[in-house]
Amino acid sequence: MLVTLGCSWTFGVGVGYTQNLGQAEYESIAWDNDLCNTLSFRGLLSTKYNLANKNLSSGGSSNQKQFRLAKIFFNSYEFKKLQKKFDQIVVLWGITSTARNELFFIEDGQLRNFFYSENSQLAKSLVKFSYDHQNEVDLLQIEMRHWNNYFENLNIKNLWFDTFNHHDYWDSYWDSYKSQYETNAGPDWPTWEKFCCQDFSNVSSEIINEISDTSRWGWDLGLLSNLVSRNKNPRDLLSQLAINNGCTDIDNQYHKSDWDVDSNRVSYLVDRGILNPHSHHPTRVGHEQIANILDEYIRASFC
C-alpha cells in the first residue's frame, strides 16, 4: 500500500484540464475524485506497481494539517488493520508552502486551513507578528526527523519531497558540528555551506554515503537518506519540471500556490502545457512527468 500526504499537487487538483478549457468548466472538474485518483502521479504510480493508495492529501492543505491528519491516521484502528492486510506500506509525503497554516476558529467551532497571503485581518496580523519562513522550515525538519524515527520503528519506508519550493532543512543547533565536519571532510566533499543547504550537485553517491554514515559522526543526518532528489538544488517538483522542460533561468521566487503567477517557473510551464493556465496545477502531462521523477524512489522502496 502507498500512503500519500501533501497538498493539491499530490491530490491531483486540475489533472482533468484539457486544452482551451474555460475557467468555469475547469473549476467544475478540478477536484473530481475519480480523475484525481486515476490520473495524478500517485494514481499513475499506484497503477504501475499494483498498489492500494490511501490518500490523506487535499487541495490547499497546509503542512500543519497534514501532520495532524497523519497523527490521527497512524494512531487509528483502520491503520492497525491495514498493517495486517498489507505486506508492505510505503509513505510518500509532499511538503507544501510554509505560507499556510491551520487554526481552530471559535466562530464556527472548527479547524480551518488558510493562506497567509489571504486578504484578511487574521492573515495580515499573523504575517506581521508571528510568521517567519525560516522558523517554519526549522519546525518542518523537526517534524520530518520525528516521523523518520516513527516509521523506522514500524518498519515502514517513507519518502519526502518538496512540492513547489526548495527548502534547506537545517537546524542552527547543528552548526556546532561545523569544525568536526571540516576536520573530517575528504577532498571531494562539499563545503560546509553546501552541506548545510544539502547541495550535493556533482557529488558522487559514494561520497554522500560516506557523509551519511552516522557511525562516523555519532549524530544523525536524518533527512539525507529519504529526501527525493536530495542531491539536487533546487530539488522541488516545480523546479525539476521546469529544468526537465528546458528552463535555464529559474528565479526561485517562493511559490505560494494560490493561483497567482509568482514565479517564472509557473509561467514557463503554463506556456508548455505542463501546468494549466487557470490554477497553475500540473496537467495530465505534468503528472506523468512527476510520476517519472518519483518512479525510481517508489520502485526502490517496494523492492
Side-chain angles (χ1 to χ4, degrees), residues 116-161:
Y116 284 118
S117 55
E118 290 176 6
N119 185 25
S120 68
Q121 189 61 43
L122 172 66
K124 291 178 180 178
S125 296
L126 288 173
V127 168
K128 182 177 181 180
F129 297 109
S130 180
Y131 171 72
D132 178 80
H133 169 70
Q134 188 54 53
N135 178 66
E136 293 298 325
V137 174
D138 289 345
L139 294 175
L140 274 174
Q141 64 85 19
I142 292 171
E143 287 277 6
M144 293 163 79
R145 290 169 64 83
H146 161 77
W147 284 102
N148 281 350
N149 291 331
Y150 176 85
F151 291 130
E152 182 179 0
N153 288 333
L154 291 180
N155 196 31
I156 291 176
K157 293 183 179 180
N158 69 301
L159 296 165
W160 303 96
F161 63 88

Side-chain angles (χ1 to χ4, degrees), residues 84-297:
K84 296 177 181 178
K85 179 179 180 180
F86 292 97
D87 294 331
Q88 193 172 7
I89 296 174
V90 171
V91 178
L92 179 63
W93 197 322
I95 297 299
T96 189
S97 167
T98 67
R100 303 175 179 183
N101 208 333
E102 181 185 58
L103 290 174
F104 183 81
F105 283 73
I106 294 175
E107 63 183 4
D108 53 14
Q110 64 182 9
L111 284 163
R112 236 194 277 166
N113 212 76
F114 66 94
F115 288 30
Y116 284 118
S117 55
E118 290 176 6
N119 185 25
S120 68
Q121 189 61 43
L122 172 66
K124 291 178 180 178
S125 296
L126 288 173
V127 168
K128 182 177 181 180
F129 297 109
S130 180
Y131 171 72
D132 178 80
H133 169 70
Q134 188 54 53
N135 178 66
E136 293 298 325
V137 174
D138 289 345
L139 294 175
L140 274 174
Q141 64 85 19
I142 292 171
E143 287 277 6
M144 293 163 79
R145 290 169 64 83
H146 161 77
W147 284 102
N148 281 350
N149 291 331
Y150 176 85
F151 291 130
E152 182 179 0
N153 288 333
L154 291 180
N155 196 31
I156 291 176
K157 293 183 179 180
N158 69 301
L159 296 165
W160 303 96
F161 63 88
D162 279 332
T163 304
F164 34 73
N165 295 293
H166 176 105
H167 296 124
D168 292 325
Y169 299 108
W170 190 257
D171 192 310
S172 58
Y173 169 77
W174 292 337
D175 284 345
S176 60
Y177 294 111
K178 178 179 180 180
S179 60
Q180 184 185 2
Y181 178 89
E182 293 180 337
T183 299
N184 290 277
D188 298 322
W189 284 26
T191 63
W192 173 255
E193 289 71 24
K194 286 190 174 183
F195 170 72
C196 289
C197 296
Q198 296 178 31
D199 180 0
F200 297 104
S201 52
N202 301 319
V203 178
S204 69
S205 58
E206 290 79 10
I207 296 298
I208 293 175
N209 289 335
E210 284 183 23
I211 299 171
S212 303
D213 183 3
T214 56
S215 64
R216 174 189 298 272
W217 306 107
W219 44 286
D220 182 15
L221 302 185
L223 301 178
L224 291 177
S225 62
N226 63 344
L227 189 61
V228 170
S229 301
R230 68 177 190 259
N231 62 335
K232 296 180 179 179
N233 191 340
R235 79 173 73 85
D236 60 280
L237 296 182
L238 177 59
S239 295
Q240 288 299 306
L241 286 175
I243 292 168
N244 292 347
N245 284 278
C247 184
T248 58
D249 183 27
I250 293 177
D251 60 17
N252 287 325
Q253 292 295 312
Y254 202 78
H255 180 50
K256 300 181 180 64
S257 189
D258 56 2
W259 296 36
D260 285 336
V261 180
D262 50 14
S263 168
N264 70 350
R265 296 171 294 164
V266 175
S267 54
Y268 184 91
L269 291 172
V270 167
D271 289 344
R272 283 151 185 81
I274 310 301
L275 304 182
N276 76 68
H278 302 303
S279 65
H280 314 129
H281 288 93
T283 60
R284 183 171 182 173
V285 174
H287 276 277
E288 290 171 352
Q289 292 190 12
I290 292 173
N292 288 335
I293 292 172
L294 297 173
D295 187 274
E296 63 177 292
Y297 299 94

Side-chain angles (χ1 to χ4, degrees), residues 70-86:
K71 290 167 188 171
I72 293 172
F73 173 69
F74 289 110
N75 282 288
S76 68
Y77 180 63
E78 176 190 3
F79 174 62
K80 288 182 173 63
K81 289 197 297 183
L82 292 171
Q83 280 183 294
K84 296 177 181 178
K85 179 179 180 180
F86 292 97

